[in-house]
């Protein structure tokens, strides 16, 4: 039986149709909360007579009795004897003589308001994790204003007010439980609902404001986060500096010669590659050279340029897509060759080169990345002169190849974190990236909208 919304009687999972007066009589008996109500009082509250006619009591009692019989028959649909068990008839001596009384005897699981009250009561003395579960179960029982249809009747006002106040307590406690568990993201929609339902309550508004501030503080420069369905893998976009991602492996783009000396001729000091030596190797490019040289022993060079043809920089060339895992403390820097450095000292790449390089990158990450988060800049947006793709397409290409790699190895890394500079952010369509990730959830990892083959 349901009163947390429109009054409704369900028997064996099916709604039972009651005539309007019988439905009101049922609501009146429920509002009595197990107490006996005289037939005279039932008639007055349910039928609401405007005048008292002489010798009307017998007719009134008969009207009440007919509705009681209808109600018992409805309960009998659950099985023989249910009507008599639930609807009790009693006798009450009065100055006018003995009056018939009626009351409902419902178990807790037969009335949603009773179950709701028990769940909230249990939650108030439970630890946060249990309290959250109990309160969520309790609030799911609600389907509108309590005792809808009779909520303005005198007999319904007190129980409706009590249930409404208990629901407000449940919402506040659910918010507090989520906060205690550190789940501010789950507390926020409950706080929004509470503030929406109580627009004049300053406490509800203040709680919502505090939660919003806490979430903004927690996310910091995080712009997008999407957990891939069925995998413990997040795709995240943040605004900031690649080298501030202290908890992650890093990806740094290189040319096919793996030069390291930032002289503003072969390598620009402002590039990510140029900052790598200063930020992680204390300006000692030979230290990075040594680590790259050891890693490159696993790869076969393509060619070696002559001094006459290439007067500056390193002269040994490696295949596009070569990814070297350089150890830096307890993490790795993945040096990825995705462009060719011409003998004119200009780096050049193409969309197909970048796609192939990224595909090879994720294979290396799965093998050497220790399942740590991987932070990658908007690779291809700098001096590689990859002008065919805009910022959004570059970001999508990174995400596409990563999600596609999960088809072959779902444990490539725990998190892909794309780090955008402020200058790149204003030219990047993040909603398009989020839409692509939602599509990945629907169709499974696959190549998507950039059309780069």
């Amino acid at each position: 039986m349901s009163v947390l919304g429109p009054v409704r009687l369900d028997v064996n999972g099916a709604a039972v149709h009651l005539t309007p007066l019988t439905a009101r009589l049922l609501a009146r008996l429920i509002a009595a909360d197990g107490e006996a109500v005289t037939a005279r009082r039932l008639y007055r509250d349910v039928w609401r007579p405007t005048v008292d006619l002489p010798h009307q009591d017998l007719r009134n009692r008969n009207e009440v009795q007919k509705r009681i019989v209808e109600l018992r028959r409805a309960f009998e649909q659950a099985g023989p004897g249910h009507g008599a068990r639930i609807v009790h008839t009693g006798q009450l001596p009065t100055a006018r003589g003995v009056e018939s009384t009626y009351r409902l005897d419902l178990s807790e699981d037969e009335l949603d308001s009773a179950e709701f009250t028990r769940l909230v009561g249990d939650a108030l003395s439970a630890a946060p994790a249990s309290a959250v579960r109990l309160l969520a179960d309790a609030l799911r029982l609600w389907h509108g204003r309590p005792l809808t249809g009779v909520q303005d009747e005198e007999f319904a006002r007190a129980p409706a007010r009590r249930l409404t106040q208990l629901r407000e307590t449940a919402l506040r406690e659910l918010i507090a439980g989520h906060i205690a568990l550190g789940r501010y993201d789950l507390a926020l929609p409950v706080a929004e609902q509470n503030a929406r339902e109580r627009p004049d309550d300053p406490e509800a508004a203040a709680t919502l404001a505090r939660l919003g501030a806490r979430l903004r503080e927690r996310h910091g420069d995080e712009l997008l986060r999407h957990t891939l369905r069925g995998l413990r893998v997040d795709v995240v976009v943040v605004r900031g500096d690649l080298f501030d991602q202290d908890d992650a492996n890093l990806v740094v783009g290189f040319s096919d010669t793996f030069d390291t000396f930032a002289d503003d001729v072969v390598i620009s000091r402002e590039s990510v590659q140029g900052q790598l030596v200063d930020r992680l190797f204390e300006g000692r490019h030979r230290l990075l050279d040594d680590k790259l040289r050891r890693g490159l022993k696993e790869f076969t060079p393509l060619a070696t340029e002559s001094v006459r043809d290439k007067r500056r920089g390193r002269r040994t060339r490696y295949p596009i897509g070569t990814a070297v895992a350089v150890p830096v403390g307890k993490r790795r820097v993945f040096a990825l060759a995705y462009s060719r450095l011409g003998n004119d000292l200009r780096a050049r790449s193409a969309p197909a080169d970048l796609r192939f390089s990224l595909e090879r990158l994720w294979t290396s990450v799965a093998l050497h990345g220790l399942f740590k988060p991987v932070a990658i800049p908007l690779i291809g947006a700098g001096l590689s002169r990859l002008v065919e793709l805009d910022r959004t397409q570059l970001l999508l290409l990174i995400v596409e190849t990563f999600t596609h790699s999960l088809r072959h190895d779902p444990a490539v890394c725990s998190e892909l974190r794309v780090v955008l500079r402020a200058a790149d952010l204003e030219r990047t369509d993040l909603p398009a990236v989020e839409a692509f990730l939602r599509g990945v959830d629907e169709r499974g990892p696959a190549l998507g909208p950039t059309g780069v083959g």
Side-chain angles (χ1 to χ4, degrees), residues 178-339:
H178 283 313
I179 291 174
L181 297 172
R183 297 305 307 270
Y184 304 107
D185 53 335
L186 297 181
L188 183 63
V190 184
E192 289 173 337
Q193 179 183 358
N194 193 38
R196 187 167 56 248
E197 293 178 1
R198 307 185 67 187
D200 299 324
D201 183 355
E203 181 183 349
T207 298
L208 179 59
R210 286 195 299 270
L211 270 173
R214 181 69 67 88
L215 278 169
R216 286 191 295 273
E217 177 184 338
R218 188 186 74 170
H219 288 301
D221 289 319
E222 187 175 297
L223 304 170
L224 183 153
R225 176 176 290 273
H226 184 95
T227 301
L228 293 169
R229 184 179 300 168
L231 299 172
R232 296 174 60 186
V233 178
D234 290 342
V235 176
V236 186
V237 179
V238 300
R239 172 181 46 226
D241 186 328
L242 177 72
F243 297 102
D244 288 339
Q245 314 305 311
D246 297 331
D247 62 328
N249 296 326
L250 306 183
V251 178
V252 176
F254 277 75
S255 68
D256 60 340
T257 55
F258 285 93
D259 285 279
T260 61
F261 182 52
D263 57 358
D264 282 334
V265 178
V266 178
I267 300 175
S268 167
R269 290 185 175 90
E270 296 181 356
S271 67
V272 175
Q273 186 181 354
Q275 295 177 57
L276 173 62
V277 172
D278 287 335
R279 300 289 293 273
L280 295 187
F281 292 90
E282 301 176 343
R284 296 182 295 170
H285 74 91
R286 295 191 184 280
L287 178 59
L288 175 57
D289 276 339
D290 289 342
K291 293 191 175 189
L292 280 172
R293 192 175 294 111
R294 286 195 291 270
L296 286 168
K297 288 180 180 178
E298 299 179 12
F299 301 92
T300 301
L302 283 180
T304 300
E305 300 285 351
S306 66
V307 175
R308 183 185 62 186
D309 292 335
K310 190 172 186 290
R311 295 182 178 276
R312 303 188 65 160
R314 301 179 69 176
R315 297 180 176 87
T316 302
R317 297 189 179 278
Y318 289 86
I320 291 295
T322 299
V324 182
V326 177
V328 181
K330 295 182 179 180
R331 56 183 180 151
R332 303 287 184 267
V333 173
F334 289 90
L336 177 66
Y338 75 98
S339 65

Side-chain angles (χ1 to χ4, degrees), residues 48-114:
R48 294 182 298 179
T50 55
V51 295
D52 288 329
L53 300 176
H55 312 296
Q56 188 70 21
D57 283 353
L58 180 59
R59 292 180 181 177
N60 295 350
R61 288 197 299 273
N62 288 339
E63 283 293 325
V64 172
Q65 183 61 35
K66 284 194 298 185
R67 305 302 169 184
I68 291 293
V69 170
E70 181 185 347
L71 196 56
R72 281 189 175 133
R73 285 174 178 167
F75 285 119
E76 286 292 319
Q77 296 181 36
H82 277 69
R85 177 185 69 79
I86 294 174
V87 185
H88 288 262
T89 301
Q91 301 290 322
L92 178 67
T94 70
R96 298 185 180 186
V98 177
E99 287 195 44
S100 296
T101 62
Y102 302 96
R103 69 179 181 87
L104 293 182
D105 184 10
L106 294 167
S107 62
E108 187 179 274
D109 60 353
E110 290 176 325
L111 182 62
D112 60 354
S113 60

